[in-house]
Amino acid sequence: MESTPALAAPQPNYLIAPSRHGHALKPSSFFPEKRHPSAASLRLQKNPLTFRGVLQQPASPLTCSATLSDTYSSEVNELADIDWENLGFGLLSTDYMYTMKCGRDGNFSKGELRRFGNIELSPSAGVLNYGQGLFEGLKAYRKHDGNILLFRPEENALRMRMGAERMCMPAPTVEQFVEAVKATVLANKRWIPPNGKGSLYIRPLLMGSGAVLGLAPSPEYTFLIYVSPVGNYFKEGVAPIHLVVEHELHRATPGGTGGVKTIGNYAAVLKAQSAAKAKGFSDVLYLDCVHKKYLEEVSSCNIFVVKGNVISTPAIKGTILPGITRKSIIDVARSEGFQVEERLVAVEELLDADEVFCTGTAVVVSPVGSITYRGKRVTYVEGGFGVIAQQLYSVLTRLQMGLIDDKMNWTVELR
């Protein structure tokens, strides 16, 4: 029996994966279930954008490498049938994921979009046995006009490359990373929440997928991206969260991997986090492991302390993740006239702070309502944001959603 002809071969960056049964996908089978446009096909275009280490921001919206035909574009623009009003921060299976492999030569192959689903790994894969893996997190937002905004994707690409060097792994170039993100987002466009209802969370992974028994770098690596529509990270939403300072367990040590987004960093915080949540706290605030008195970060976000017109945050010194939202908030705060200090911040400074807030891709900006340290509870805002956190949150989120002019050149627009 003659197999179905394959879709046209892509030019720049990725392929269309065959089905799990080994046959090339028919055009109708590549699209979401219950949608079978008769003339649907994929146009694969070379993006004219060039990259020289850092993404060059265009003046007009981008047309991504993977765009759907005019026949199918109306189908993609139809929103998925889910409850957009009650999105939490949990996984919703979407349509497509992106994968790209790298062998012993250190070069990544052309990537491919394939149906979201399980992947196969050897039981002796480096990521399973020795934790050789990294991940990133970024978001896509839908504008009022229907176009899509990515927020600083080149920063995630650069951070993954920095982490890969520490974990002895090859990494995609900035261009490969950003193109893969754009392709994955547009293939899952119907899962991007309406403006103001949430965002599409994008999770790139880089893992040692090759088989290895002795302790050594993996012989093969897989770069993978999947996405999910999300709402607020904390169950409190934008209401203040409540933290407890952990003074026995530590998130990171000097010379370790606390400054990169390796997967093992997050498993290590689960014990303290679970204990804190069982006592009614939202999350854990960690101290440095040497002096046990200086603030480091919360389980998955950076911390800021406000006193008067001064905003202080722990300096990046190898044990703290260089958050992209952290970096953005610092720039926004300075542009708004605040003095920002990156330095050692003693835990005692929490006692007389005016405000405390957290930042991260998932949480964006989250106000802290109280912090408990050695049994003493210090309360800040009641029921909402502090004045300064609200101001910074408003500027950043309006920029991310395309509601104000992007004078920082941080967003990448897709259509």
Side-chain angles (χ1 to χ4, degrees):
M1 181 176 178
E2 186 176 351
S3 62
T4 306
L7 295 175
Q11 298 304 310
N13 292 318
Y14 60 86
L15 307 171
I16 304 304
S19 71
R20 68 181 63 185
H21 303 295
H23 302 295
L25 292 172
K26 296 180 181 179
S28 63
S29 69
F30 186 76
F31 301 105
E33 291 81 354
K34 301 182 181 179
R35 303 186 187 277
H36 303 284
S38 59
S41 63
L42 284 176
R43 284 201 311 272
L44 293 144
Q45 306 172 352
K46 185 173 180 66
N47 193 308
L49 210 59
T50 58
F51 296 80
R52 292 179 177 85
V54 178
L55 182 66
Q56 303 299 305
Q57 177 71 21
S60 59
L62 300 175
T63 299
C64 182
S65 298
T67 59
L68 297 171
S69 68
D70 294 337
T71 308
Y72 190 68
S73 61
S74 62
E75 301 289 344
V76 171
N77 287 329
E78 291 183 11
L79 291 175
D81 185 17
I82 62 175
D83 184 2
W84 297 107
E85 300 295 332
N86 294 292
L87 281 178
F89 199 92
L91 179 66
L92 291 175
S93 296
T94 53
D95 295 325
Y96 301 106
M97 61 185 185
Y98 183 100
T99 60
M100 184 166 62
K101 299 279 188 179
C102 177
R104 294 180 184 274
D105 63 358
N107 297 315
F108 280 87
S109 63
K110 289 184 178 180
E112 57 186 25
L113 284 167
R114 61 173 65 225
R115 282 289 186 179
F116 178 83
N118 295 339
I119 62 174
E120 291 186 3
L121 278 178
S122 166
S124 59
V127 67
L128 298 180
N129 290 261
Y130 300 116
Q132 197 181 25
L134 296 161
F135 74 91
E136 278 297 328
L138 62 158
K139 288 178 176 178
Y141 297 85
R142 188 184 297 273
K143 295 175 62 183
H144 283 299
D145 63 8
N147 287 351
I148 308 304
L149 288 180
L150 302 176
F151 185 70
R152 309 190 76 173
E154 75 283 358
E155 290 288 337
N156 294 90
L158 292 168
R159 188 170 66 178
M160 176 168 275
R161 290 182 63 80
M162 179 183 72
E165 193 279 330
R166 176 64 178 83
M167 299 299 291
C168 202
M169 306 167 71
T173 64
V174 172
E175 179 180 7
Q176 287 174 321
F177 183 102
V178 175
E179 284 293 304
V181 167
K182 294 188 298 185
T184 310
V185 168
L186 287 183
N188 293 285
K189 188 174 180 180
R190 72 193 190 101
W191 295 95
I192 303 174
N195 184 269
K197 302 296 183 182
S199 59
L200 187 72
Y201 187 82
I202 306 160
R203 172 57 61 84
L205 297 168
L206 179 62
M207 54 188 163
S209 52
V212 58
L213 184 60
L215 178 58
S218 176
E220 178 194 83
Y221 296 88
T222 297
F223 176 65
L224 184 151
I225 303 176
Y226 67 90
V227 298
S228 178
V230 297
N232 292 311
Y233 181 78
F234 288 113
K235 65 180 179 62
E236 293 89 346
V238 293
I241 61 172
H242 303 281
L243 304 177
V244 60
V245 177
E246 175 59 53
H247 51 85
E248 292 182 357
L249 300 178
H250 297 280
R251 177 190 167 275
T253 60
T257 59
V260 299
K261 209 166 176 65
T262 183
I263 57 178
N265 289 350
Y266 296 85
V269 305
L270 294 178
K271 181 176 181 179
Q273 186 187 63
S274 298
K277 289 186 175 182
K279 296 176 181 178
F281 296 105
S282 308
D283 214 327
V284 176
L285 173 57
Y286 290 91
L287 301 178
D288 77 290
C289 69
V290 177
H291 305 284
K292 300 186 178 183
K293 63 175 289 186
Y294 296 111
L295 305 184
E296 295 232 312
E297 61 180 281
V298 182
S299 302
S300 59
C301 45
N302 297 112
I303 190 87
F304 286 79
V305 179
V306 180
K307 185 66 177 177
N309 194 55
V310 180
I311 303 173
S312 302
T313 190
I316 300 300
K317 51 183 175 58
T319 57
I320 298 171
L321 186 73
I324 294 164
T325 308
R326 172 191 180 276
K327 181 178 182 179
S328 303
I329 281 291
I330 289 173
D331 288 343
V332 168
R334 286 174 174 156
S335 72
E336 293 289 304
F338 295 101
Q339 178 182 335
V340 180
E341 297 180 352
E342 298 178 74
R343 58 177 177 82
L344 292 175
V345 182
V347 66
E348 290 79 13
E349 294 184 49
L350 296 172
L351 302 179
D352 64 347
D354 297 333
E355 297 178 36
V356 178
F357 61 88
C358 299
T359 65
T361 297
V363 305
V364 188
V365 176
S366 184
V368 175
S370 72
I371 295 181
T372 300
Y373 175 55
R374 294 188 179 274
K376 182 176 181 179
R377 186 172 186 262
V378 181
T379 301
Y380 305 104
V381 295
E382 292 286 349
F385 279 96
V387 174
I388 293 177
Q390 175 67 70
Q391 180 177 343
L392 301 179
Y393 172 81
S394 178
V395 173
L396 184 63
T397 54
R398 285 170 61 81
L399 190 155
Q400 289 175 328
M401 293 187 286
L403 299 176
I404 59 175
D405 186 33
D406 179 14
K407 296 179 181 179
M408 302 286 196
N409 290 324
W410 284 345
T411 56
V412 176
E413 188 165 9
L414 310 178
R415 60 183 178 188

